[in-house]
Amino acid sequence: MSNRYKILVVEDENNIGSLIRALLEANNYQVISASDCTNGKMLYHSHRPDLILLDLGLPDADGISLLQEVRRDSFTPVIVLSARTDETDKVDALDHGANDYVTKPFSSAELMARVRCALRTSMQHSRPGEDSVFISDGFVIDYGARRIFIDNTEIKLTQTEYNIIACLSRHPGKVLTYSAIIKEIWGYKDCGSVKKLQVNMANIRKKLGAKPGKKNYIENELGIGYRMCERNEPLHYPSAPADHP
C-alpha cells in the first residue's frame, strides 16, 4: 500500500527498460511499463500516471503519436528519452508538448534529477495550490508531500485514495459527480467504475473516522457524488503540522 508517484515507462529496448524500472523503484516510484506505442496509450488511459518517460523509436509507431494523445486531454509531464540527437527531433518533440528531452545514453543521476524536476514543476503549476496545503478543522492535506493528517496524526492511504481526496479538495464545498471523479482518477468509464469508486470511498471515510450523524470531512450526496468540506485556513499556510518531518 503506497502513495508513491506513478510513472509510465514506454521503452522497447528490454535492457534499458529494465534499468529504468530498477532505478525508479529504488527511488520509491511506482512503475508501469509498455514496450510499444499501442500499449503505452492503453496504460496511459487506464492508469493516469503522474509522469511519462517516452522513447520515440517504438516498433509500432513513433512515440510522438503517444505524446499527441496525452496532450489532447492532460498536462501530464512527458520526458522524451531518445537516441535521436538531431536538433530538429528535439524541437519537434518539445513543440508537440514534451516537457524535457534526454538523449541516450544518459546517467542515472541526470535522469532522476529530470524526473524530480518534472514532477515538482507539475505539482506546483498544473494544479493551483498543490505547492501548499489544504486545512479544515484539523484536517490537513500536504500536496507537495502527498500526505494527509488529522490532528497532526498521519492517515495512511493508498495512492488511489490520496488522489480521490486531492481531487475533491480542489473543489471544496462543491459536489463532484461520480463520473467527474472517475474521469479524473482513472480516465475511463466502464460498468464497474462507480462501484470501484464507492469501495475506495468507503475505505477513505473509514480511515478519516467518518461517523453517521456527525460533521465529516467528505459527505456523500446519495446517487450523485461526493463533497469535500470547505477549507477554513488560507491556501498558503505558514507551517506544516507539528510532527511533520
Side-chain angles (χ1 to χ4, degrees):
M1 304 274 274
S2 172
N3 195 26
R4 299 172 295 167
Y5 288 109
K6 184 189 303 180
I7 299 179
L8 169 61
V9 178
V10 186
E11 170 61 65
D12 68 319
E13 295 185 47
N14 290 334
N15 290 340
I16 296 177
S18 297
L19 178 64
I20 293 173
R21 171 182 281 274
L23 178 62
L24 291 171
E25 290 180 341
N27 283 272
N28 204 35
Y29 294 106
Q30 181 183 355
V31 182
I32 50 177
S33 302
S35 58
D36 57 43
C37 196
T38 301
N39 283 308
K41 290 178 181 179
M42 180 184 70
L43 290 175
Y44 163 69
H45 286 294
S46 60
H47 289 272
R48 305 301 275 192
D50 299 295
L51 181 143
I52 300 171
L53 297 179
L54 174 64
D55 183 24
L56 294 183
L58 299 171
D60 58 339
D62 194 290
I64 291 293
S65 67
L66 192 154
L67 177 57
Q68 291 174 312
E69 179 98 357
V70 171
R71 285 294 170 263
R72 287 193 186 104
D73 68 355
S74 87
F75 294 102
T76 301
V78 178
I79 300 176
V80 168
L81 307 178
S82 179
R84 301 175 187 175
T85 59
D86 192 281
E87 182 179 358
T88 57
D89 290 313
K90 296 180 181 180
V91 171
D92 187 46
L94 294 170
D95 281 345
H96 278 91
N99 298 76
D100 203 350
Y101 193 106
V102 180
T103 303
K104 298 176 183 177
F106 47 81
S107 72
S108 298
E110 178 189 8
L111 179 60
M112 294 313 304
R114 305 271 189 146
V115 166
R116 290 192 298 270
C117 180
L119 286 170
R120 184 167 58 247
T121 301
S122 175
M123 291 301 102
Q124 289 176 348
H125 299 297
S126 67
R127 289 172 176 172
E130 293 221 355
D131 57 338
S132 57
V133 297
F134 173 99
I135 300 176
S136 181
D137 296 327
F139 177 61
V140 178
I141 304 174
D142 183 335
Y143 293 112
R146 293 169 68 86
R147 300 170 72 186
I148 288 176
F149 301 83
I150 294 180
D151 296 329
N152 290 339
T153 299
E154 183 172 3
I155 308 301
K156 297 297 184 181
L157 300 167
T158 67
Q159 175 170 280
T160 298
E161 289 166 356
Y162 171 84
N163 289 340
I164 291 171
I165 291 177
C167 172
L168 289 168
S169 72
R170 291 192 291 274
H171 309 277
K174 176 182 176 181
V175 176
L176 293 188
T177 64
Y178 298 138
S179 61
I181 300 170
I182 289 165
K183 182 178 180 182
E184 172 71 15
I185 304 304
W186 290 287
Y188 64 91
K189 183 176 181 180
D190 59 40
C191 58
S193 296
V194 171
K195 182 62 177 177
K196 183 189 297 186
L197 173 60
Q198 290 172 333
V199 169
N200 275 280
M201 188 58 72
N203 292 334
I204 289 169
R205 286 163 59 82
K206 182 177 180 181
K207 291 179 180 181
L208 298 186
K211 295 180 180 178
K214 65 170 282 190
K215 179 176 167 58
N216 296 303
Y217 299 115
I218 299 175
E219 299 290 343
N220 180 15
E221 296 290 338
L222 193 61
I224 301 173
Y226 300 96
R227 181 202 313 269
M228 172 67 74
C229 58
E230 302 256 9
R231 69 169 69 244
N232 58 11
E233 296 285 346
L235 181 64
H236 294 280
Y237 194 64
S239 61
D243 64 346
H244 194 296

Coordinates of all heavy atoms in Angstrom, one line a residue, residues 105-150:
P105 N 23.0 7.9 -24.6 CA 22.9 7.4 -23.2 C 22.9 8.5 -22.2 O 23.4 9.6 -22.5 CB 24.2 6.5 -23.1 CG 25.2 7.2 -24.0 CD 24.4 7.8 -25.2
F106 N 22.3 8.2 -21.1 CA 22.2 9.2 -20.0 C 22.6 8.6 -18.7 O 22.6 7.4 -18.5 CB 20.8 9.8 -19.9 CG 19.7 8.7 -19.9 CD1 19.5 8.0 -18.7 CD2 19.0 8.3 -21.0 CE1 18.5 6.9 -18.7 CE2 18.1 7.3 -21.0 CZ 17.9 6.6 -19.9
S107 N 23.0 9.4 -17.8 CA 23.4 8.9 -16.4 C 22.2 8.8 -15.6 O 21.2 9.5 -15.8 CB 24.4 9.9 -15.8 OG 23.8 11.1 -15.4
S108 N 22.3 7.9 -14.6 CA 21.2 7.7 -13.7 C 20.9 8.9 -12.9 O 19.8 9.3 -12.7 CB 21.6 6.5 -12.7 OG 21.8 5.3 -13.4
A109 N 22.0 9.6 -12.5 CA 21.8 10.9 -11.7 C 21.0 11.9 -12.5 O 20.2 12.6 -12.0 CB 23.1 11.4 -11.2
E110 N 21.4 12.1 -13.8 CA 20.7 13.1 -14.6 C 19.3 12.7 -14.8 O 18.4 13.6 -14.7 CB 21.4 13.2 -16.0 CG 20.7 14.2 -16.9 CD 21.2 14.1 -18.3 OE1 22.0 13.2 -18.7 OE2 20.8 15.0 -19.1
L111 N 19.0 11.4 -15.1 CA 17.6 11.1 -15.3 C 16.7 11.3 -14.1 O 15.6 11.9 -14.1 CB 17.5 9.6 -15.7 CG 16.1 9.1 -15.9 CD1 15.4 9.8 -17.0 CD2 16.1 7.6 -16.2
M112 N 17.2 11.0 -12.9 CA 16.5 11.1 -11.7 C 16.3 12.6 -11.4 O 15.2 13.0 -10.9 CB 17.1 10.5 -10.5 CG 17.2 8.9 -10.6 SD 15.6 8.2 -11.1 CE 14.5 8.9 -9.8
A113 N 17.3 13.4 -11.7 CA 17.1 14.9 -11.5 C 16.0 15.4 -12.4 O 15.2 16.3 -12.0 CB 18.4 15.6 -11.8
R114 N 16.0 15.0 -13.6 CA 15.0 15.4 -14.6 C 13.6 15.0 -14.1 O 12.6 15.7 -14.3 CB 15.3 14.8 -16.0 CG 16.6 15.2 -16.5 CD 16.7 16.4 -17.3 NE 18.0 16.6 -18.0 CZ 18.1 17.2 -19.1 NH1 17.1 17.7 -19.8 NH2 19.3 17.2 -19.7
V115 N 13.5 13.8 -13.6 CA 12.2 13.2 -13.1 C 11.7 14.1 -11.9 O 10.6 14.5 -11.9 CB 12.3 11.8 -12.7 CG1 11.1 11.3 -11.9 CG2 12.5 10.9 -13.9
R116 N 12.6 14.3 -11.0 CA 12.2 15.2 -9.8 C 11.8 16.6 -10.2 O 10.8 17.1 -9.7 CB 13.4 15.2 -8.8 CG 13.7 13.9 -8.1 CD 14.6 14.2 -7.0 NE 15.9 14.7 -7.4 CZ 17.0 13.9 -7.7 NH1 16.9 12.6 -7.7 NH2 18.1 14.5 -8.1
C117 N 12.5 17.1 -11.2 CA 12.2 18.5 -11.6 C 10.8 18.5 -12.3 O 10.0 19.4 -12.1 CB 13.3 19.0 -12.6 SG 13.0 20.6 -13.2
A118 N 10.5 17.5 -13.2 CA 9.3 17.5 -13.9 C 8.1 17.3 -13.0 O 7.1 18.0 -13.1 CB 9.3 16.4 -15.0
L119 N 8.3 16.4 -12.0 CA 7.2 16.2 -11.0 C 7.0 17.4 -10.1 O 5.8 17.8 -9.9 CB 7.5 15.0 -10.2 CG 7.4 13.6 -10.8 CD1 7.9 12.5 -9.9 CD2 5.9 13.3 -11.2
R120 N 8.0 18.0 -9.7 CA 7.9 19.2 -8.9 C 7.2 20.4 -9.6 O 6.3 21.0 -9.1 CB 9.3 19.7 -8.4 CG 9.4 20.9 -7.5 CD 10.7 21.0 -6.9 NE 11.8 21.3 -7.9 CZ 12.7 20.4 -8.1 NH1 12.8 19.2 -7.5 NH2 13.7 20.7 -9.0
T121 N 7.6 20.6 -10.9 CA 7.0 21.6 -11.7 C 5.5 21.3 -11.9 O 4.7 22.2 -11.8 CB 7.7 21.8 -13.0 OG1 9.1 22.1 -12.8 CG2 7.1 22.9 -13.9
S122 N 5.2 20.1 -12.2 CA 3.8 19.7 -12.4 C 3.0 19.9 -11.2 O 1.9 20.5 -11.3 CB 3.8 18.2 -12.8 OG 2.5 17.8 -12.9
M123 N 3.5 19.5 -10.0 CA 2.7 19.7 -8.8 C 2.5 21.2 -8.5 O 1.5 21.6 -7.9 CB 3.4 19.0 -7.6 CG 3.4 17.5 -7.7 SD 1.7 16.8 -7.8 CE 1.5 16.4 -9.5
Q124 N 3.5 22.0 -8.8 CA 3.4 23.4 -8.5 C 2.5 24.2 -9.4 O 1.9 25.2 -9.0 CB 4.8 24.0 -8.4 CG 5.6 23.5 -7.2 CD 7.1 24.0 -7.3 OE1 7.5 24.6 -8.3 NE2 7.8 23.9 -6.2
H125 N 2.5 23.8 -10.7 CA 1.9 24.7 -11.7 C 0.7 24.1 -12.4 O -0.2 24.9 -12.8 CB 2.9 25.1 -12.7 CG 4.1 25.9 -12.1 ND1 4.0 27.1 -11.5 CD2 5.4 25.5 -12.0 CE1 5.1 27.5 -11.1 NE2 6.0 26.6 -11.4
S126 N 0.6 22.8 -12.6 CA -0.5 22.3 -13.3 C -1.8 22.3 -12.6 O -2.9 22.4 -13.1 CB -0.2 20.9 -13.8 OG -0.2 20.0 -12.7
R127 N -1.7 22.3 -11.2 CA -2.9 22.3 -10.4 C -2.7 23.4 -9.3 O -1.9 23.2 -8.4 CB -3.1 20.9 -9.7 CG -3.6 19.9 -10.7 CD -3.6 18.5 -10.1 NE -4.1 17.6 -11.0 CZ -4.1 16.3 -10.8 NH1 -3.6 15.8 -9.7 NH2 -4.6 15.4 -11.7
P128 N -3.4 24.5 -9.4 CA -3.2 25.6 -8.5 C -3.3 25.2 -7.0 O -4.2 24.4 -6.7 CB -4.3 26.6 -8.9 CG -4.6 26.3 -10.3 CD -4.4 24.8 -10.4
G129 N -2.3 25.6 -6.2 CA -2.4 25.3 -4.8 C -1.7 24.1 -4.4 O -1.5 23.8 -3.2
E130 N -1.2 23.2 -5.3 CA -0.6 22.0 -4.9 C 0.8 22.2 -4.4 O 1.5 21.2 -4.1 CB -0.6 21.0 -6.0 CG -2.0 20.6 -6.4 CD -2.2 19.1 -6.6 OE1 -1.2 18.4 -6.7 OE2 -3.3 18.6 -6.8
D131 N 1.3 23.4 -4.3 CA 2.6 23.6 -3.6 C 2.4 24.0 -2.2 O 3.3 24.4 -1.5 CB 3.4 24.7 -4.4 CG 2.6 26.0 -4.5 OD1 1.4 26.0 -4.4 OD2 3.3 27.1 -4.7
S132 N 1.1 23.9 -1.7 CA 0.8 24.4 -0.3 C 0.0 23.3 0.4 O 0.3 22.1 0.2 CB 0.1 25.7 -0.4 OG -1.1 25.5 -1.2
V133 N -1.0 23.7 1.2 CA -1.7 22.7 1.9 C -3.2 23.1 1.9 O -3.6 24.3 1.6 CB -1.3 22.6 3.4 CG1 0.2 22.1 3.5 CG2 -1.4 24.0 4.1
F134 N -4.1 22.1 2.2 CA -5.5 22.3 2.4 C -5.7 22.1 3.9 O -5.2 21.1 4.5 CB -6.3 21.4 1.6 CG -7.8 21.4 1.9 CD1 -8.6 22.1 1.0 CD2 -8.3 20.7 2.9 CE1 -10.0 22.1 1.3 CE2 -9.7 20.6 3.2 CZ -10.5 21.4 2.3
I135 N -6.4 23.0 4.6 CA -6.7 22.8 6.0 C -8.2 23.1 6.3 O -8.7 24.0 5.8 CB -5.8 23.8 6.9 CG1 -4.3 23.5 6.6 CG2 -6.1 23.7 8.3 CD1 -3.4 24.5 7.3
S136 N -8.7 22.2 7.1 CA -10.1 22.3 7.6 C -10.3 21.6 8.9 O -10.3 20.4 8.9 CB -11.1 21.8 6.5 OG -12.4 22.0 7.0
D137 N -10.4 22.3 10.0 CA -10.7 21.8 11.3 C -9.8 20.6 11.7 O -10.3 19.5 12.0 CB -12.2 21.3 11.4 CG -13.2 22.5 11.2 OD1 -12.8 23.6 11.7 OD2 -14.2 22.3 10.6
G138 N -8.5 20.8 11.6 CA -7.6 19.8 11.9 C -7.2 18.8 10.8 O -6.4 17.9 11.0
F139 N -7.9 18.9 9.7 CA -7.7 18.0 8.6 C -6.8 18.7 7.6 O -7.1 19.8 7.1 CB -9.0 17.7 7.9 CG -8.9 16.9 6.6 CD1 -8.4 15.6 6.7 CD2 -9.4 17.4 5.4 CE1 -8.3 14.8 5.5 CE2 -9.3 16.6 4.2 CZ -8.8 15.3 4.3
V140 N -5.6 18.1 7.3 CA -4.5 18.8 6.6 C -4.1 17.9 5.4 O -3.8 16.7 5.6 CB -3.3 19.1 7.4 CG1 -2.2 19.7 6.6 CG2 -3.7 20.0 8.6
I141 N -4.1 18.5 4.2 CA -3.5 17.8 3.0 C -2.3 18.6 2.6 O -2.3 19.7 2.3 CB -4.5 17.8 1.8 CG1 -5.9 17.2 2.2 CG2 -3.9 17.0 0.6 CD1 -6.9 17.3 1.1
D142 N -1.1 17.9 2.7 CA 0.1 18.5 2.3 C 0.3 18.0 0.8 O 0.8 16.9 0.6 CB 1.3 18.0 3.2 CG 2.6 18.6 2.8 OD1 2.8 19.0 1.7 OD2 3.5 18.7 3.7
Y143 N 0.0 18.9 -0.1 CA 0.0 18.5 -1.5 C 1.5 18.1 -2.0 O 1.7 17.2 -2.8 CB -0.5 19.6 -2.4 CG -2.0 19.8 -2.2 CD1 -2.5 21.0 -1.7 CD2 -2.9 18.9 -2.6 CE1 -3.8 21.2 -1.5 CE2 -4.3 19.1 -2.5 CZ -4.7 20.3 -1.9 OH -6.1 20.5 -1.8
G144 N 2.4 18.9 -1.6 CA 3.8 18.7 -2.0 C 4.3 17.3 -1.6 O 5.0 16.6 -2.4
A145 N 4.0 16.9 -0.4 CA 4.5 15.6 0.2 C 3.5 14.5 -0.1 O 3.8 13.3 0.1 CB 4.7 15.7 1.7
R146 N 2.3 14.8 -0.6 CA 1.2 13.8 -0.9 C 0.9 13.1 0.4 O 0.8 11.8 0.4 CB 1.6 12.9 -2.0 CG 1.7 13.6 -3.3 CD 2.3 12.7 -4.4 NE 1.5 11.6 -4.7 CZ 0.5 11.6 -5.7 NH1 0.2 12.7 -6.3 NH2 -0.2 10.5 -5.9
R147 N 0.7 13.8 1.5 CA 0.4 13.2 2.8 C -0.8 13.9 3.4 O -1.1 15.1 3.2 CB 1.6 13.3 3.7 CG 2.9 12.6 3.2 CD 4.1 13.0 4.0 NE 4.1 12.3 5.3 CZ 5.0 12.5 6.3 NH1 5.9 13.4 6.1 NH2 4.9 11.9 7.4
I148 N -1.5 13.2 4.3 CA -2.7 13.7 4.9 C -2.7 13.5 6.4 O -2.2 12.4 6.9 CB -4.0 13.0 4.3 CG1 -4.2 13.5 2.8 CG2 -5.2 13.3 5.1 CD1 -5.3 12.9 2.1
F149 N -3.1 14.5 7.2 CA -3.0 14.4 8.6 C -4.4 14.8 9.2 O -5.1 15.6 8.6 CB -2.0 15.4 9.2 CG -0.6 15.2 8.7 CD1 -0.2 15.7 7.4 CD2 0.3 14.5 9.4 CE1 1.1 15.4 7.0 CE2 1.6 14.2 9.0 CZ 2.0 14.7 7.8
I150 N -4.7 14.2 10.3 CA -5.9 14.6 11.1 C -5.4 14.9 12.5 O -4.8 13.9 13.1 CB -7.0 13.6 11.1 CG1 -7.6 13.5 9.7 CG2 -8.1 14.0 12.1 CD1 -8.8 12.5 9.6

